[in-house]
Amino acid sequence: MPAYPFSAIVGQDDLKTALMLAAIDPGIGGVLAMGDRGTGKTTAIRALAGLLPPQPVVNNCAFRCDPAAPMADCPNRSARKGKALRATEEPAPVVNLPLGATEDRVLGALDLEQALVHGEMRFEPGLLARAHRGFLYVDEVNLLDDYLVDILLDVAASGINTVEREGLSVTHPARFVLVGSGNPEEGDLRPQLLDRFGLSVDVRTPADIATRVQIIKHRDAFDQDMDGFAAAWRGKDAALSQSIVRAQQRLADTARPDAMVEKAAELCLALGSDGLRGELTLIRAARALASLEAADTIADSHLISVAPFVLGHRLRKDPLDETGAAARIQRALDEVF
Amino acid sequence: MPAAPRSASRAPGASRTASPGASHGGADARPRPRLEDIYAAGLESWARAERIAALLAVDPRGLGGVHVIGGASYPRTAWLGGLHALFPTDTPAITLPAPCTDDTLIGGIALDRSLAAGSLVAEPGLLARADGGLLTACLAERMEPARAALIAGAMDDGLVRVERAGHPRTDRAAFALLLLDSGEPGEPPPPPSVTDRVAFAHTFRVVPSRCASSFETEPGDILAARRRLASITAEESAIEAIAQAATQLGCGSLRAPLFVLRAARAAAALDGRATVSDTDLAEAASLVLAHRSAPPPDAAPEPPPEPDPPQADSETEADPSEPDRSDPGTLEDQLIAAVESAALAQALETLATAVPTATSNASNAGRSGEAARKQDNGRPDRPVPRARMRKGRIDLLATLRTAAPFQTLRSQQRPSEAGTGPALQLRASDLRVKTYRHRTETSVIFLVDASGSSALNRMGEAKGAIEYLLSDCYSRRDHVALIAVRGAVPDLLLAPTRALTRVRRALSDLPSGGTTPLAGGLSLAAETVERERRAGRTPFLVILSDGRGNVAINGSTERDIATADLETAARHLAAQGAAALFFDTSRRPNLRAQALAGKLGAQYRHLSHTSAQTLSRTVRTAIGSR
């Protein structure tokens, strides 16, 4: 069953842009999409998988190692010491973390089959290993149990998963882009987890009829003939995928004028957002956007475009205060630019 | 009764069986509804239910399923049987047990076969086994969000992914979901993530069993309709009308208009039309949107003139292939009118069948002890050695994991067993027992006396104090409910929620003044306490009042009755045994408030003795010390 094509998603431009930016530069730190039910959050995030450019992965590596920079103590590497690492191109993974997942399933555990049949203690990697160098998606992230949130916070901060149990001692890299979605009416996000997300998008149900009609028609066409619909949009998806690859290549060469750093700092000061993560993410996201638009340097327009994504969830606030984040950001933007 | 004439004319034709309404014998307390009204409403409801079943059978995957509301009853059982009979005989029909593990749901390891084979043998879960068929979730109102998320994920993709590295599996799981929801007033509805993904909702009330006759639709009709389904076209104007109508009726979710379109297609296929007609659209809209339409937050624009009642039943109309557009307004107006008349009909039906609540009590039987349901149903925690915990179920997977590393060693120690004995050598010390983590979530129920006498005193301070407490609740991630006591009847402003911005909004919108239905407020609090217990949370009550209740539960303002009611309600609430704090909001500590707090078994504090900080500390220690 083919997935719904990314380029066939009508509207939701903010969410699509935020996901593309996170795909271009995983260092931006993930995307949080909060909004009403049935607005296509999940569809967009699942569709992203079809867009991600393939990446080289060391053959038979359970930890999805990059041949250019394999983990120093990766068991696979030590096994083939001295030999050149062989790799194949694989699509970047989009791994789904279900709400009720057990710790074993997420972190990894003893491989029972190997232990029972061969008497061998082997580690069976969990979801975190499978999401390495890709995306980890949590639907209804605001309902995620605290023990899973703790795991995510720990691993997302360090990029490393350490398992010490059942006589196993395994450390493997787990760097992933965390993508979460949920309905704010059903609960709030823990502040620490909120802070982990680089970008946040407020997903609204489109109000104008033309857009809604278009969405229904596309979805209906997809339901009537999935393969045909997917094939019809394959070209557009491929073009988007190409633009991500090109943006990634340009990323390092996109200039960052000092004036932009100052503006980013001013913006954060004007909004009173805590810490430096806001500024850093502003610059990273603006650079990713500039590369996507094939610009040589980061310009005001890029900062202005990404500011709502970066700062929307970082405003210092009483958790119960809700004076429109968007309005406050707009005011600060007017002040600075 | 305006709905009666049309349907009453049909009632005699259907009265084949005898025993007229004997089942409602005991209802004497109120004026009894007329029998023919009950029959008429019952027949109408049954016709609607049958149509839903037929449409679902035509396009089970596209329409998602049905939210079936109402406890076990003859009509519900008959309908479920009829629905299953519409599907081909080899259609899987899987029932989801109320308590079930994630492994049961998405698939796990077949232990018996794994042990016999000495290697892991995977076993598909119930979702995968329901592929191509019907999945029935009993006690859907108790479904945990985590399980709902798994089911919703499978419904989106038609697939279940079992995320076990080494054995990553993807099973097909395209099913239609039947959410059986007892629909009791006190229970919350099933998680919205699943109700939003099923097209229909139908409420089964206790009606005379003769109303639930066998279906007129034959399985053959369904098969023919399924074959036609793919070729049914819908005009662009139809899609526009659906989108307009859904938006105007306040259905934000885009699934709603899609379901209308699919239901209209199924209806056209069933009735043998090549194109979706306006009648199909009106019928689909009334079936899909009536229960979804939320009144817009502000005053709704006046709906187009009076809804024409017979809009909903399509079979009586003479298939207008070229509908007259000029007369009843634009297509979307017609759709809205159809939905509104359906909603009206349902409301009338509720009135007509307003049989005393004895029926709902009956379905309540066997429910006692539900409060203890969390016993082995929490979030799985680490398994512990059996030596440490005698009670509990053996966790086979964990036991195997513990035993696995020693297998080589053990077979060396006792080589004789290696050849002939079991493939696996277990020792008592390997046994692991399942444990569950019961997060003791707290639910803080605020009962705020916003009546005139309180308002005179310290309403502003009370609100400030609550806001302060709310930020505390936020950091503890408590659920919060808000009961407002003012005017004629107390009001549960907010059912327990974790979305605290909503609490804050409700609080700031709370007007003050008027009489004090404190007794009613206390019994509402008692109900909320009971419901929270059932949901597995620990209720904690914070009352802000001056203790001067002056309205009795029946609305009377006679002082004696009001006082007596207050006494009874207080005793009833105290019997619930929930920890409570009583903040006296009067100017000076007053005896009545102290006495009431005493009756409630609540700690008494006077608000003026309490700064915001000490207030929050008081609550925190009170919650912590339980």
Side-chain angles (χ1 to χ4, degrees):
Chain A
M1 212 175 283
Y4 192 83
F6 191 85
S7 45
I9 295 167
V10 183
Q12 306 302 7
D13 294 329
D14 284 357
L15 178 56
K16 285 193 283 188
T17 310
L19 289 173
M20 300 259 293
L21 295 183
I24 292 167
D25 180 3
I28 290 173
V31 180
L32 175 67
M34 294 297 273
D36 304 327
R37 294 201 169 282
T39 46
K41 300 182 293 283
T42 314
T43 309
I45 293 160
R46 296 224 168 106
L48 179 71
L51 230 54
L52 297 176
Q55 52 190 199
V57 176
V58 174
N59 281 357
N60 302 321
C61 178
F63 303 106
R64 304 190 42 80
C65 271
D66 181 355
M71 181 95 174
D73 54 351
C74 178
N76 285 53
R77 193 177 180 235
S78 53
R80 50 177 76 215
K81 211 176 269 174
K83 280 190 206 160
L85 286 168
R86 273 186 295 181
T88 35
E89 296 264 307
E90 283 182 20
V94 176
V95 174
N96 195 22
L97 173 67
L99 274 190
T102 59
E103 221 170 290
D104 282 3
R105 210 168 272 181
V106 177
L107 292 171
L110 179 71
D111 184 336
L112 261 184
E113 184 160 7
Q114 286 298 321
L116 288 177
V117 180
H118 307 290
E120 195 184 322
M121 299 275 282
R122 211 166 75 175
F123 179 66
E124 178 178 323
L127 295 181
L128 293 176
R130 292 198 29 222
H132 180 46
R133 301 169 69 205
F135 282 69
L136 186 68
Y137 173 45
V138 192
D139 194 7
E140 312 222 42
V141 66
N142 47 341
L143 303 179
L144 197 64
D145 268 306
D146 279 351
Y147 73 95
L148 285 178
V149 172
D150 292 341
I151 293 175
L152 281 187
L153 286 175
D154 185 29
V155 176
S158 62
I160 288 170
N161 176 30
T162 306
V163 180
E164 295 283 353
R165 57 196 297 186
E166 291 150 356
L168 286 166
S169 175
V170 178
T171 298
H172 69 81
R175 283 188 307 279
F176 47 83
V177 178
L178 189 62
V179 180
S181 67
N183 181 349
E185 289 274 290
E186 281 161 36
D188 303 294
L189 226 63
R190 240 164 86 185
Q192 303 94 312
L193 185 60
L194 196 59
D195 196 44
R196 265 290 132 209
F197 288 98
L199 311 176
S200 75
V201 184
D202 209 3
V203 187
R204 295 266 160 84
T205 179
D208 68 304
I209 296 297
T211 313
R212 294 179 69 99
V213 168
Q214 197 61 32
I215 293 171
I216 297 169
K217 275 157 73 177
H218 276 194
R219 187 73 217 191
D220 185 50
F222 176 71
D223 290 335
Q224 295 285 92
D225 176 14
M226 295 194 180
D227 294 306
F229 190 82
W233 290 88
R234 198 161 289 142
K236 288 215 167 142
D237 263 14
L240 276 183
S241 183
Q242 269 307 307
S243 68
I244 290 179
V245 175
R246 276 196 301 270
Q248 282 174 335
Q249 289 159 350
R250 270 194 297 265
L251 201 55
D253 302 326
T254 308
R256 171 193 48 76
D258 285 346
M260 287 301 121
V261 182
E262 273 167 34
K263 289 219 164 135
E266 277 176 45
L267 202 53
C268 290
L269 269 181
L271 286 164
S273 78
D274 295 326
L276 287 171
R277 204 174 272 160
E279 278 101 317
L280 291 170
T281 315
L282 263 179
I283 295 295
R284 285 198 96 130
R287 178 185 276 142
L289 184 62
S291 320
L292 183 64
E293 293 177 356
D296 296 332
T297 57
I298 303 176
D300 284 1
S301 65
H302 301 128
L303 269 186
I304 294 173
S305 304
V306 298
F309 303 156
V310 176
L311 300 174
H313 58 299
R314 285 179 208 280
L315 302 181
R316 185 205 297 248
K317 56 182 175 183
D318 168 359
L320 304 169
D321 182 28
E322 39 159 355
T323 30
R328 284 169 68 189
I329 293 175
Q330 191 52 50
R331 214 180 309 139
L333 282 172
D334 293 344
E335 265 171 47
V336 175
F337 291 97
Chain B
M1 199 108 338
R6 170 166 60 107
S7 3
S9 60
R10 266 204 258 152
S15 50
R16 292 164 303 214
T17 46
S19 82
S23 52
H24 300 297
D28 294 323
R30 299 175 211 192
R32 285 168 55 178
R34 285 175 23 227
L35 269 184
E36 60 257 49
D37 288 344
I38 296 182
Y39 284 130
L43 286 173
E44 187 133 331
S45 166
W46 180 255
R48 182 180 189 272
E50 178 181 343
R51 190 66 174 167
I52 286 177
L55 295 178
L56 183 68
V58 173
D59 187 5
R61 193 62 194 109
L63 291 169
V66 185
H67 178 189
V68 181
I69 307 164
S73 62
Y74 174 72
R76 193 183 85 169
T77 313
W79 181 81
L80 286 171
L83 171 69
H84 282 86
L86 287 180
F87 284 77
T89 41
D90 57 344
T91 305
I94 300 287
T95 301
L96 213 57
C100 81
T101 64
D102 288 354
D103 274 359
T104 328
L105 208 57
I106 63 174
I109 290 155
L111 266 159
D112 45 351
R113 275 176 288 154
S114 297
L115 286 177
S119 66
L120 287 191
V121 179
E123 184 178 53
L126 291 178
L127 296 183
R129 281 166 53 199
D131 180 45
L134 290 161
L135 182 71
T136 308
C138 301
L139 279 178
E141 70 274 21
R142 301 291 173 82
M143 194 184 278
E144 287 172 7
R147 193 175 317 148
L150 286 175
I151 297 176
M155 290 177 81
D156 284 349
D157 299 346
L159 299 171
V160 196
R161 291 186 188 81
V162 186
E163 312 279 11
R164 280 189 204 285
H167 310 269
R169 276 168 51 121
T170 306
D171 294 321
R172 288 183 56 89
F175 52 81
L177 181 65
L178 302 175
L179 290 164
L180 303 192
D181 169 7
S182 65
E184 298 217 5
E187 297 278 353
S193 51
V194 283
T195 49
D196 195 47
R197 282 174 168 84
V198 299
F200 307 113
H202 188 81
T203 305
F204 285 94
R205 296 200 174 76
V206 177
V207 291
S209 54
R210 77 167 76 149
C211 295
S213 48
S214 54
F215 284 0
E216 283 167 26
T217 320
E218 303 274 335
D221 305 340
I222 303 291
L223 278 180
R226 280 189 185 187
R227 277 194 295 273
R228 280 193 290 266
L229 187 63
S231 62
I232 308 271
T233 55
E235 282 171 37
E236 179 136 357
S237 60
I239 297 179
E240 270 165 33
I242 293 172
Q244 288 273 14
T247 312
Q248 289 195 27
L249 287 163
C251 304
S253 169
L254 283 161
R255 289 193 187 98
L258 265 170
F259 281 143
V260 176
L261 181 59
R262 290 177 194 155
R265 264 215 191 92
L270 208 53
D271 298 349
R273 278 183 286 276
T275 311
V276 168
S277 76
D278 291 2
T279 324
D280 297 328
L281 287 176
E283 182 188 25
S286 69
L287 290 177
V288 174
L289 298 181
H291 61 283
R292 284 169 203 265
S293 60
D298 306 315
E302 197 52 37
E306 53 200 44
D308 340 329
Q311 200 67 272
D313 42 9
S314 60
E315 61 268 354
T316 59
E317 284 185 25
D319 188 1
S321 51
E322 197 51 56
D324 186 6
R325 287 279 173 88
S326 58
D327 195 14
T330 60
L331 182 53
E332 64 261 22
D333 287 344
Q334 290 177 48
L335 294 188
I336 293 171
V339 171
E340 280 171 349
S341 77
L344 183 72
Q346 279 174 39
L348 288 174
E349 180 203 337
T350 318
L351 283 179
T353 54
V355 185
T357 45
T359 53
S360 88
N361 283 344
S363 66
N364 226 345
R367 267 289 178 83
S368 59
E370 280 293 348
R373 80 192 171 96
K374 285 270 161 181
Q375 226 158 41
D376 54 355
N377 201 6
R379 183 64 45 227
D381 203 350
R382 298 228 166 157
V384 300
R386 186 159 156 81
R388 289 222 321 258
M389 203 163 106
R390 284 279 148 199
K391 267 161 80 178
R393 290 161 64 188
I394 301 281
D395 184 337
L396 280 162
L397 212 54
T399 305
L400 288 180
R401 282 220 168 91
T402 318
F406 304 104
Q407 290 308 305
T408 328
L409 198 65
R410 285 178 189 165
S411 59
Q412 282 165 3
Q413 281 173 350
R414 301 170 72 178
S416 59
E417 284 183 27
T420 56
L424 181 78
Q425 296 195 33
L426 278 182
R427 303 279 184 276
S429 60
D430 296 333
L431 292 179
R432 289 294 179 272
V433 175
K434 281 185 181 169
T435 62
Y436 295 89
R437 188 182 317 202
H438 302 288
R439 242 192 346 178
T440 45
E441 282 183 319
T442 304
S443 181
V444 182
I445 302 159
F446 287 98
L447 189 144
V448 186
D449 180 352
S451 64
S453 62
S454 260
L456 272 179
N457 296 318
R458 334 185 21 130
M459 194 56 209
E461 278 164 273
K463 278 189 182 180
I466 297 176
E467 293 221 5
Y468 200 87
L469 291 175
L470 282 179
S471 13
D472 253 25
C473 295
Y474 178 81
S475 58
R476 275 195 313 268
R477 307 192 60 69
D478 294 337
H479 285 68
V480 174
L482 188 59
I483 296 172
V485 174
R486 74 173 280 280
V489 245
D491 194 6
L492 180 60
L493 278 186
L494 212 57
T497 174
R498 256 158 110 175
L500 297 192
T501 39
R502 290 179 57 199
V503 185
R504 185 175 173 276
R505 212 179 307 148
L507 190 66
S508 65
D509 293 347
L510 174 66
S512 56
T515 48
T516 320
L518 193 54
L522 292 180
S523 35
L524 192 55
E527 277 169 33
T528 316
V529 162
E530 159 82 20
R531 197 180 321 142
E532 288 307 281
R533 283 247 169 78
R534 278 200 193 184
R537 292 188 282 264
T538 312
F540 182 79
L541 200 60
V542 180
I543 301 169
L544 294 101
S545 167
D546 58 2
R548 293 173 209 269
N550 57 13
V551 180
I553 288 187
N554 64 6
S556 151
T557 48
E558 255 174 70
R559 176 171 271 225
D560 292 348
I561 305 181
T563 314
D565 271 5
L566 189 57
E567 291 255 335
T568 321
R571 245 182 292 130
H572 181 56
L573 181 56
Q576 295 271 358
L581 264 178
F582 192 107
F583 286 104
D584 185 355
T585 53
S586 33
R587 280 177 200 283
R588 252 168 252 105
N590 89 67
L591 288 175
R592 279 167 67 175
Q594 284 176 22
L596 183 57
K599 283 192 198 97
L600 287 170
Q603 296 184 45
Y604 172 88
R605 293 277 186 288
H606 187 256
L607 199 58
S608 71
H609 296 162
T610 350
S611 69
Q613 274 83 2
T614 49
L615 181 78
S616 133
R617 205 178 320 130
T618 312
V619 172
R620 203 177 307 150
T621 44
I623 289 182
S625 68
R626 283 190 335 260

